[in-house]
Amino acid sequence: MSLKDQIRAELLSLNMRVTTPRVAILEVFHEAQQSMSDASARTGERTAVAHFSADEMFRRLLENKVDLGIATVYRVMQQFEEAGVLSSSRFDAERVTYELNAGQPHDHMVCITCGRVDEFTDAPMIARHKAVANQLGYILQRHALALYGICPACQSKAKAPADAPTPSRTAKTAKAAKTSSKARA
């Protein structure tokens, strides 16, 4: 069964009409997720999960030559969230990020430099969430936890090798060489 057929079946099982915008948006999520899974299998890293804001989804659809308006993208992603197909998180004040709803409780680690989002599950942490809710007399319905830091890729970009020329080091070296040659003359 093709991906489009799987998406159509999923939409019908949710009693949602099969429309071009809905199929196109779910296609992007599933293809991005498959691409990330394939990359993880090659590198041996843990599988990342595809996260898109409505604006990022709109740009991806344009790249795929799918002609939808931005308002349609926002509306369909919100409909998918209401139907339980997508879940959303607000990692900053400016945008909502969506992911395919796997139905598993999980938390997020967000890179403050590039915006990368990694998911993790920590059973003791989930148990602690439930215990806190219970202690306070709440019936826990859902939880959201996001930790913020700098991802490994951004850390490695920020660390320049000690002997790599930097603009200030290069300027100092040139000035020292000029001073040294004047002293010898």
Side-chain angles (χ1 to χ4, degrees):
M1 182 184 287
S2 73
L3 178 57
K4 280 188 181 188
D5 290 337
Q6 291 173 6
I7 291 170
R8 287 183 185 110
E10 180 180 2
L11 290 171
L12 291 172
S13 74
L14 295 166
N15 293 322
M16 295 182 87
R17 282 184 343 158
V18 176
T19 63
T20 300
R22 289 176 177 163
V23 171
I25 288 170
L26 284 181
E27 253 184 321
V28 169
F29 270 107
H30 286 288
E31 287 171 353
Q33 191 58 55
Q34 187 59 53
S35 175
M36 291 175 144
S37 295
D38 292 347
S40 295
R42 283 192 306 275
T43 63
E45 293 180 14
R46 50 188 214 92
T47 303
V49 175
H51 293 82
F52 291 99
S53 69
D55 291 332
E56 291 165 338
M57 177 60 67
F58 178 69
R59 284 191 293 278
R60 183 70 67 98
L61 291 166
L62 287 177
E63 289 169 10
N64 292 349
K65 311 258 188 278
V66 177
D67 187 24
L68 295 179
I70 187 73
T72 301
V73 174
Y74 274 94
R75 185 177 62 253
V76 169
M77 290 177 81
Q78 187 173 20
Q79 290 169 350
F80 281 153
E81 181 182 17
E82 290 167 5
V85 175
L86 299 179
S87 58
S88 69
S89 299
R90 184 177 291 278
F91 299 124
D92 59 43
E94 298 171 13
R95 67 187 182 132
V96 175
T97 303
Y98 295 89
E99 63 185 282
L100 290 171
N101 185 358
Q104 305 275 354
H106 63 275
D107 299 305
H108 297 92
M109 179 66 76
V110 182
C111 180
I112 60 172
T113 303
C114 69
R116 171 181 163 174
V117 178
D118 285 307
E119 294 184 354
F120 66 95
T121 301
D122 186 322
M125 192 179 294
I126 292 169
R128 183 71 185 128
H129 293 164
K130 291 177 182 176
V132 168
N134 190 35
Q135 287 171 349
L136 296 172
Y138 281 75
I139 297 172
L140 189 63
Q141 299 296 310
R142 66 185 194 100
H143 81 272
L145 175 67
L147 304 175
Y148 298 85
I150 301 172
C151 72
C154 289
Q155 289 175 50
S156 65
K157 286 180 196 171
K159 292 179 186 172
D163 58 348
T166 62
S168 61
R169 193 175 300 140
T170 305
K172 287 176 189 172
T173 306
K175 187 176 181 181
K178 192 183 274 187
T179 305
S180 173
S181 65
K182 283 182 184 176
R184 277 185 249 148

